[in-house]
Amino acid sequence: MTETTPAAATPAALVDRSAKPRSVSRLVFLALVMIGASIVFFIFKDQLNNELMLGILGVLAVVGIFFLVSTVIGFVDIMPKTTADPLARAFIDTHPEGTLVTDDKGRVIYANHAYGRLTGSSNAADVQSIEAILSRHRESAEAVYRLTNAMRDGKEGQEEFRMSQPLSAAEGGTEAGHWYRLRARPIASGERGGKDTRLMAWQLSDISHERTEQEMVFKELQNAINYLDHAPVGFFSAGREGEIVYLNATLADWLGIDLTSFLPGKVMLRDLVAGAGMALVESVQAEPGLNRTAQLDLDLLKSNGQSLPVRLVHRVSATRDGSPGESRTIVISREAGGSGVHDAASAEMRFTRFFNNTPMAIASVDGAGKILRTNGPFLQMFHGLVTRDDMERGSLFETVLREDDRKGFQDALRQAADKQGDISPIDSRRADDEERHFRFYVNAVIEHSEEAPEETAIIYAVETTEQKALEAQMAQTQKMNAVGTLAGGIAHDFNNVLTAILLSADHLLMSLRPADSSFADLIEIKRNANRAAVLVRQLLAFSRKQTMRPTVLSMTDVIGDLRMLVDRLIGTNVKLELEFGRDLWPVKTDLGQFEQVLINLAVNARDAMPDGGTITVRTRNVEAEEIERLNHRGMEVGEYVLIELADAGTGIAPEVMEKIFEPFFTTKDVGKGTGLGLSMVYGIVKQSGGYIYPESEVGKGTTFRIYLPRHVEDEAEKAVAAAEAAATLEAGAAKQAKIAADGPEDLTGGSAVVLLVEDEEAVRRGGKRMLEARGYEVHEAGTGVEALEILTELEGKVDIVVSDVVMPEMDGPTLLTELRKDYPDMKFIFVSGYAEDAFAKNLPADAKFGFLAKPFSLKQLATSVREMLDA
């Protein structure tokens, strides 16, 4: 029972100078007025008549009665009026906090009894201001100084300080000392002494008991944290995004984490979970407003990369709207050793660990195809299609398959239910992603376990997306190689036909005058033959067998010099922007051929923007590290120069993108394109040792990125280049001198003997006729073997051999090798529709020969023979 005592009478304030009595001054003033009136009446009584005296007295009587009535009803205030609410006054007088009010000069205006008790003042005479009491103590002086300055600036404040001895001697000291809280705020006093003044209100309270309770709570919290930190199990807490906000010392020790450098929120849960275990963790999802707890066996990652097998008791909360909330997790280390029941538990945990850490997705199903259990990789592989909640609701395995493949799975499941041992695997794709391929192996469950008596089949899933991509790439490469080989063979045969046509046309033109009726037809034949020769060169470019004269180039100079031509080709409706990289590395490629690459890409970009737009050409150096990060298929790691051409056109559809480099494939209307432009681009880039990768999005544009290997010239190459340049200048000077001395260049043969080796009869016959018309003595051979026999018959009296490269029995390179054995200085010219380096690699490094590309005209043949003889 509790005993109550009657409330004590409300004590008055210890000091209260807030109100001054005004009744005495008012009464004195009234008395003086009355005395003055009496004196006036006495002195001037003779001058005043009775009527006036009566009138004045009547007025005074009325005024007096009015004053008395007004005083009674409160209209006129004579006695001092209470300025404060009695309830508020009683509240502040009895407040347990010491309250003090001083003026701006530090004089005490008000102090309650609590203030006197706290400061040791028992009467009004002993009461001192806060500044006077606390400024004497070092522990509180700074606090008072700060609060006083704040109040002078019109601000309020609060300070807490500890004192070794209490302010009042009546309060005993303790070892912990005394804590005080001091609040201060300025208040407006109204009028005092005829002017507005600012008062300072102070509130002082002893908070030693409160601080003691706080310290006790803090110690208890420290003890709880200490117990949690050194518990025999690990513990961590994660936020909504999986950020670790707390982990105990036990877990930190297991994982090798330095707690002194640990920052909450900087380490993610996925950084601590090994393998596919994160899929298991993410599969534990709470329902709105409810918590969810699950046991998970998986591996955590130590800071040194090693795995720590653990069992997690993972508890997840959810917010009211259903979004993932925070999680709390107990971590139990899986110990080895033991016997009996512990052995069985360890074996189970080891199996669970292997089950969840295998790189293969595993799931077991019953006879209806319902998923019974899965491992972590399965949840990771089919994330978004299957969750733990779905499995608890009886989710079917076929939900991960495309609808077209579900019948095959049901057949395999029936075979598993029949205990069939050889079930064909099922190739399928994700139900929600056509780009991801999988192979499913269905194995029948022969012996049922007690835990899952309804298990019918175990399904192993392997992702084959990368394998499918490699197979598609290999098929595309094989197709491109096959097409290239076919194109090269066709080009070779076409070159022979075109060479015969051109030589025959030249021969007929020599015998006709421009006025003849057939002259124009022959010119048209020759013009169309040259057009066909361009198509053949494009085919050879695709098959990478065209003739190239690579030189060291700067792409900045090449693109800059080509800008004017490209501007004319793309028209005024399309704008060309160039962005050159700084200090671009040199590359080695054929200048004319690479110009064709840029022109073809620019024209295609123009055609993709019928309403106009911008073509942007960018260049920059690409380091080997960036190439490794890009990881382009088939691209060797090294240093490259990137040439990027981008447009904002219609883009290329994915099904078209796979065929853009194939010869004769075009999306343009009939008669507006041959389909060889991009094929030629592909071949030139590849023949230059580079790579080309297109990227396009329908409706947004296309970007072609060309990577050419950086050319680093060694001292030997510099010497050869210098020698070739000097020889070229010397030959040019000699030629100019000869022209100056003898007149125009003479292409006639004189008495020179030519051995023409060509397996194509039409070309051989045309070449022989053309050379004989120029005055050469010509011997012809159909193969390399026949050519050696003719040389033997002529006893080597041949000035020059003009030979095809590809021939039956003995090809041109073999003929040159055999011929050099007996005739080391005999001049030799190869004639071929293929690139020079396509056959030069089969010759000795010091082999010297000339080269004439097919198809050629009569003048080109005569010029090559004459220059070789004069060299």
Side-chain angles (χ1 to χ4, degrees):
M1 293 182 63
T2 60
E3 184 177 348
T4 61
T5 58
T10 302
L14 189 61
V15 177
D16 189 357
R17 301 188 180 96
S18 60
K20 295 296 182 180
R22 292 178 291 176
S23 59
V24 175
S25 60
R26 291 176 180 178
L27 290 174
V28 171
F29 175 74
L30 182 60
L32 291 176
V33 170
M34 297 298 292
I35 292 171
S38 300
I39 292 171
V40 169
F41 278 113
F42 180 76
I43 294 173
F44 297 100
K45 62 181 181 178
D46 294 332
Q47 284 80 10
L48 298 174
N49 54 33
N50 292 331
E51 290 82 1
L52 179 62
M53 288 288 290
L54 291 174
I56 293 173
L57 291 174
V59 171
L60 291 174
V62 171
V63 171
I65 294 171
F66 175 78
F67 186 78
L68 291 173
V69 173
S70 299
T71 302
V72 171
I73 66 175
F75 187 76
V76 176
D77 186 13
I78 296 177
M79 299 302 292
K81 188 176 182 180
T82 304
T83 58
D85 184 1
L87 180 61
R89 196 70 174 206
F91 174 80
I92 194 170
D93 286 343
T94 60
H95 200 279
E97 287 188 353
T99 304
L100 176 75
V101 180
T102 62
D103 61 12
D104 52 359
K105 294 182 180 180
R107 291 175 296 194
V108 176
I109 305 299
Y110 173 85
N112 65 357
H113 280 275
Y115 180 79
R117 186 183 68 254
L118 288 171
T119 59
S121 303
S122 58
N123 53 60
D126 296 334
V127 174
Q128 300 180 51
S129 67
I130 287 289
E131 294 97 320
I133 296 175
L134 297 182
S135 296
R136 297 194 297 264
H137 302 280
R138 180 177 52 84
E139 299 99 325
S140 58
E142 291 185 5
V144 173
Y145 177 75
R146 286 192 294 269
L147 291 176
T148 303
N149 287 337
M151 282 197 293
R152 285 173 181 167
D153 295 335
K155 301 176 181 176
E156 61 182 44
Q158 174 179 303
E159 294 280 348
E160 292 183 2
F161 52 90
R162 177 185 176 277
M163 299 188 69
S164 57
Q165 296 295 328
L167 295 175
S168 174
E171 299 182 28
T174 62
E175 294 182 0
H178 273 256
W179 282 89
Y180 293 93
R181 178 184 295 120
L182 180 62
R183 297 188 182 97
R185 64 186 180 91
I187 58 176
S189 65
E191 275 196 25
R192 279 185 65 82
K195 59 178 181 179
D196 287 339
T197 59
R198 176 176 292 178
L199 302 182
M200 299 182 180
W202 302 86
Q203 284 182 286
L204 180 67
S205 56
D206 188 341
I207 59 171
S208 301
H209 180 69
E210 180 181 330
R211 278 301 183 114
T212 303
E213 290 181 349
Q214 289 178 353
E215 289 178 1
M216 290 180 61
V217 171
F218 180 75
K219 287 181 180 179
E220 290 175 359
L221 180 61
Q222 283 291 103
N223 290 334
I225 294 175
N226 185 54
Y227 295 150
L228 180 60
D229 265 347
H230 298 91
V233 295
F235 176 81
F236 68 84
S237 176
R240 294 184 178 184
E241 303 298 327
E243 69 278 11
I244 303 296
V245 296
Y246 172 79
L247 75 163
N248 68 348
T250 302
L251 181 60
D253 182 56
W254 289 349
L255 300 179
I257 296 175
D258 184 6
L259 279 179
T260 59
S261 60
F262 172 78
L263 295 175
K266 295 298 183 182
V267 178
M268 304 299 291
L269 180 55
R270 58 176 173 270
D271 299 329
L272 302 181
V273 180
M278 195 60 198
L280 288 173
V281 176
E282 291 175 344
S283 68
V284 183
Q285 298 291 335
E287 297 180 0
L290 299 176
N291 296 330
R292 178 81 176 275
T293 304
Q295 286 191 8
L296 307 172
D297 291 312
L298 44 81
D299 285 3
L300 296 182
L301 279 176
K302 297 182 180 180
S303 59
N304 60 3
Q306 296 177 348
S307 295
L308 173 69
V310 297
R311 168 167 287 178
L312 303 184
V313 181
H314 187 57
R315 182 180 179 86
V316 181
S317 62
T319 58
R320 292 183 178 180
D321 60 357
S323 58
E326 299 177 345
S327 63
R328 306 286 185 271
T329 307
I330 296 174
V331 184
I332 304 172
S333 179
R334 290 180 278 184
E335 299 178 355
S339 60
V341 177
H342 185 73
D343 275 347
S346 297
E348 178 191 354
M349 286 191 290
R350 282 198 300 273
F351 170 76
T352 304
R353 179 189 178 196
F354 298 147
F355 181 68
N356 284 321
N357 288 325
T358 176
M360 185 177 292
I362 305 174
S364 64
V365 297
D366 63 7
K370 185 177 70 175
I371 300 176
L372 302 177
R373 59 175 175 166
T374 66
N375 66 347
F378 185 91
L379 294 173
Q380 184 181 47
M381 191 175 290
F382 298 104
H383 178 70
L385 294 177
V386 176
T387 65
R388 189 181 292 268
D389 291 338
D390 293 335
M391 290 187 291
E392 291 179 358
R393 289 192 291 265
S395 175
L396 296 177
F397 185 88
E398 62 185 24
T399 55
V400 306
L401 302 173
R402 287 194 314 164
E403 191 170 350
D404 297 342
D405 301 316
R406 292 175 182 176
K407 185 179 182 303
F409 169 72
Q410 292 168 358
D411 292 341
L413 194 60
R414 280 193 292 270
Q415 295 179 50
D418 195 33
K419 304 294 188 294
Q420 295 292 322
D422 187 13
I423 303 174
S424 299
I426 303 166
D427 289 318
S428 182
R429 302 180 187 181
R430 267 185 71 118
D432 59 347
D433 189 353
E434 290 287 321
E435 299 298 323
R436 294 187 64 181
H437 297 257
F438 298 91
R439 171 164 287 186
F440 298 95
Y441 299 89
V442 182
N443 286 359
V445 175
I446 306 301
E447 296 181 0
H448 296 281
S449 65
E450 295 180 359
E451 295 180 356
E454 70 275 22
E455 269 187 345
T456 299
I458 297 177
I459 303 169
Y460 304 90
V462 180
E463 184 163 3
T464 58
T465 303
E466 190 72 17
Q467 178 184 342
K468 291 291 183 181
L470 290 173
E471 289 175 357
Q473 183 185 3
M474 182 65 69
Q476 180 72 5
T477 302
Q478 291 176 343
K479 181 175 71 173
M480 296 290 275
N481 288 338
V483 173
T485 302
L486 177 62
I490 294 174
H492 176 266
D493 293 338
F494 262 82
N495 272 328
N496 287 331
V497 174
L498 292 173
T499 300
I501 293 173
L502 287 171
L503 290 176
S504 297
D506 284 341
H507 179 70
L508 291 173
L509 288 170
M510 289 175 59
S511 60
L512 295 175
R513 292 173 296 181
D516 291 339
S517 58
S518 301
F519 191 86
D521 294 334
L522 288 172
I523 291 294
E524 186 66 19
I525 291 173
K526 186 173 181 179
R527 187 175 69 84
N528 283 286
N530 285 323
R531 285 183 58 194
V534 172
L535 295 177
V536 171
R537 280 197 296 273
Q538 290 176 331
L539 282 173
L540 286 172
F542 170 73
S543 60
R544 285 169 265 174
K545 295 179 180 179
Q546 67 168 340
T547 301
M548 291 189 73
R549 302 291 182 184
T551 56
V552 179
L553 302 171
S554 167
M555 281 295 108
T556 302
D557 297 336
V558 172
I559 297 172
D561 294 342
L562 199 62
R563 176 170 189 165
M564 188 176 296
L565 175 60
V566 174
D567 276 334
R568 287 200 298 268
L569 287 172
I570 62 178
T572 58
N573 200 27
V574 177
K575 181 182 178 183
L576 178 65
E577 289 186 356
L578 303 181
E579 299 177 9
F580 294 118
R582 297 183 60 184
D583 302 323
L584 217 60
W585 294 325
V587 297
K588 191 170 185 179
T589 186
D590 188 297
L591 173 60
Q593 300 292 350
F594 198 80
E595 286 178 344
Q596 288 299 312
V597 169
L598 295 176
I599 289 172
N600 270 282
L601 292 178
V603 170
N604 284 350
R606 176 204 65 189
D607 294 342
M609 297 185 293
D611 298 327
T614 301
I615 300 174
T616 305
V617 180
R618 303 182 185 92
T619 61
R620 65 180 179 92
N621 297 327
V622 184
E623 302 281 354
E625 292 79 7
E626 184 177 350
I627 294 296
E628 190 170 7
R629 287 196 306 271
L630 291 172
N631 195 26
H632 286 307
R633 291 187 184 276
M635 189 175 184
E636 295 182 3
V637 176
E639 296 179 328
Y640 292 85
V641 174
L642 170 63
I643 302 96
E644 184 177 282
L645 192 145
D647 64 62
T650 56
I652 304 173
E655 61 272 11
V656 175
M657 182 68 78
E658 300 175 357
K659 304 177 182 180
I660 59 173
F661 293 127
E662 295 181 7
F664 303 111
F665 176 81
T666 180
T667 57
K668 297 179 180 179
D669 296 336
V670 177
K672 293 187 178 181
T674 61
L676 289 172
L678 287 178
S679 302
M680 182 184 69
V681 167
Y682 176 84
I684 292 173
V685 172
K686 286 294 186 181
Q687 200 167 350
S688 300
Y691 303 87
I692 181 169
Y693 296 99
E695 182 179 317
S696 184
E697 187 173 349
V698 176
K700 293 190 176 180
T702 304
T703 300
F704 282 88
R705 295 183 177 90
I706 299 172
Y707 296 87
L708 293 181
R710 176 185 183 182
H711 178 72
V712 181
E713 200 171 29
D714 55 23
E715 295 301 324
E717 285 182 313
K718 292 179 181 178
V720 171
E724 289 179 351
T728 302
L729 289 173
E730 184 179 347
K735 186 174 182 179
Q736 292 296 329
K738 187 175 185 303
I739 292 175
D742 304 336
E745 185 178 6
D746 183 14
L747 298 179
T748 58
S751 59
V753 179
V754 179
L755 175 58
L756 183 60
V757 187
E758 172 64 61
D759 63 320
E760 189 71 29
E761 184 178 355
V763 178
R764 186 175 69 247
R765 187 170 59 248
K768 178 181 180 183
R769 186 167 52 184
M770 294 301 100
L771 290 174
E772 286 178 342
R774 293 286 182 173
Y776 292 97
E777 180 184 343
V778 181
H779 298 273
E780 56 180 309
T783 64
V785 175
E786 187 179 344
L788 291 176
E789 293 174 355
I790 293 175
L791 279 170
T792 303
E793 292 176 4
L794 297 175
E795 298 178 353
K797 295 179 181 179
V798 174
D799 296 303
I800 187 170
V801 176
V802 180
S803 173
D804 192 11
V805 174
V806 180
M807 296 181 295
E809 296 185 18
M810 181 185 290
D811 59 9
T814 306
L815 171 62
L816 177 60
T817 303
E818 293 296 324
L819 183 146
R820 285 285 184 257
K821 295 177 182 178
D822 298 322
Y823 311 102
D825 298 327
M826 184 171 292
K827 299 182 184 299
F828 201 98
I829 296 178
F830 278 119
V831 178
S832 177
Y834 292 152
E836 181 179 333
D837 57 0
F839 59 86
K841 59 186 178 182
N842 297 325
L843 293 171
D846 58 348
K848 296 180 180 180
F849 57 88
F851 182 76
L852 178 61
K854 288 183 179 180
F856 53 81
S857 64
L858 170 60
K859 183 176 181 181
Q860 289 172 327
L861 175 61
T863 301
S864 296
V865 173
R866 185 73 267 169
E867 288 179 350
M868 193 65 185
L869 289 172
D870 295 339

